[in-house]
Amino acid sequence: MSSPAPSPSSKPGKRRSQTERRQDSERKLLDSGMQLVARKGVSGMTLAEVGSMAGYSRGLVAHHYGNKEQFVRALARHVQQSFSAVRAQAHASETGLDRLLHSISSYLLTPGDHRAASFAMLGEAAILGGSLQETMREYSQASRAFYAEQLRIALGKGEIRQDIDPDSMAAVILGLLRGISMQHLLDPENFPIEQISQDVLLAIKALLQR
């Protein structure tokens, strides 16, 4: 009598390609690096700790990225992509003022280690300079560019005052968001972020109103 055929649940899963395995390991390394930087800062993080937290060998980070400087650059891009993903979820079909306001609300209300890691890297970049400063400068430029783009669209639609300079206002908005987020990180129990986020939206609308 022949053996019964194996059930679908018992069949081995599709074997992942080398590229898929590499992408998965890099994602885990970057997520672990983000958590460590959020807790210890860039200076306090070691590549060996990153590999160990991710569940890999202590030398895998160096194997993928070469050295700490290159890993931190990749980590900054990873954090930036995390914020970009939040913005992309904020009514991506809309543009202009609505997109701007929804992205601001999402920025303030979405928790995550990427925010704490971002501030840790920004702080050390401002103090230590060097390649980290260059990396975080690019990171800030990309954030301002997104806000400036939505402001230009809003200007074209006649949604905001015509005397607004998009690049200047984008810097004001980013500075406001970072200041509010830093206060929340420092004192989350006594900082009602939901209410304050509504006040931030009202303040920005007042700045932009025609």
Side-chain angles (χ1 to χ4, degrees):
M1 184 174 178
S2 59
S3 301
S7 65
S9 61
S10 65
K11 291 181 180 179
K14 181 181 177 181
R15 186 174 182 179
R16 293 184 301 168
S17 68
Q18 183 176 354
T19 299
E20 290 173 329
R21 292 196 299 273
R22 180 183 178 90
Q23 290 173 342
D24 184 58
S25 64
E26 289 182 347
R27 179 185 55 77
K28 290 179 180 177
L29 291 172
L30 290 168
D31 284 343
S32 296
M34 188 164 61
Q35 294 177 47
L36 285 168
V37 168
R39 299 173 193 171
K40 306 175 67 173
V42 175
S43 300
M45 175 197 71
T46 69
L47 299 188
E49 286 179 308
V50 173
S52 178
M53 175 178 277
Y56 296 110
S57 68
R58 297 167 69 87
L60 186 63
V61 187
H63 173 73
H64 278 315
Y65 298 97
N67 55 43
K68 185 174 181 177
E69 179 179 327
Q70 292 303 315
F71 177 70
V72 171
R73 287 186 68 87
L75 186 59
R77 289 193 295 270
H78 182 62
V79 172
Q80 180 181 339
Q81 288 167 358
S82 297
F83 279 114
S84 296
V86 169
R87 289 198 295 258
Q89 294 170 2
H91 294 253
S93 61
E94 301 174 352
T95 56
L97 183 59
D98 284 343
R99 179 79 181 277
L100 177 70
L101 295 175
H102 281 122
S103 67
I104 288 169
S105 179
S106 296
Y107 179 101
L108 292 173
L109 296 177
T110 303
D113 287 328
H114 57 277
R115 182 170 291 117
S118 171
F119 283 120
M121 288 189 285
L122 285 166
E124 291 193 46
I127 294 171
L128 302 177
S131 62
L132 181 59
Q133 185 179 58
E134 178 184 349
T135 298
M136 298 313 293
R137 183 188 302 122
E138 295 171 357
Y139 170 69
S140 294
Q141 288 172 347
S143 298
R144 292 197 303 271
F146 170 81
Y147 296 128
E149 178 187 10
Q150 301 310 315
L151 288 166
R152 288 191 178 91
I153 293 171
L155 279 169
K157 290 182 173 182
E159 296 175 327
I160 58 178
R161 296 194 335 259
Q162 292 299 303
D163 62 334
I164 286 175
D165 180 285
D167 294 316
S168 177
M169 186 59 69
V172 171
I173 290 172
L174 181 60
L176 177 61
L177 294 182
R178 284 180 172 173
I180 294 294
S181 294
M182 176 61 79
Q183 293 180 71
H184 182 232
L185 284 171
L186 289 172
D187 192 15
E189 293 183 359
N190 297 303
F191 198 87
I193 189 62
E194 291 81 7
Q195 177 58 50
I196 290 172
S197 67
Q198 293 301 313
D199 291 336
V200 169
L201 292 176
L202 291 173
I204 290 176
K205 287 179 182 178
L207 283 172
L208 300 177
Q209 69 183 0
R210 293 187 290 172

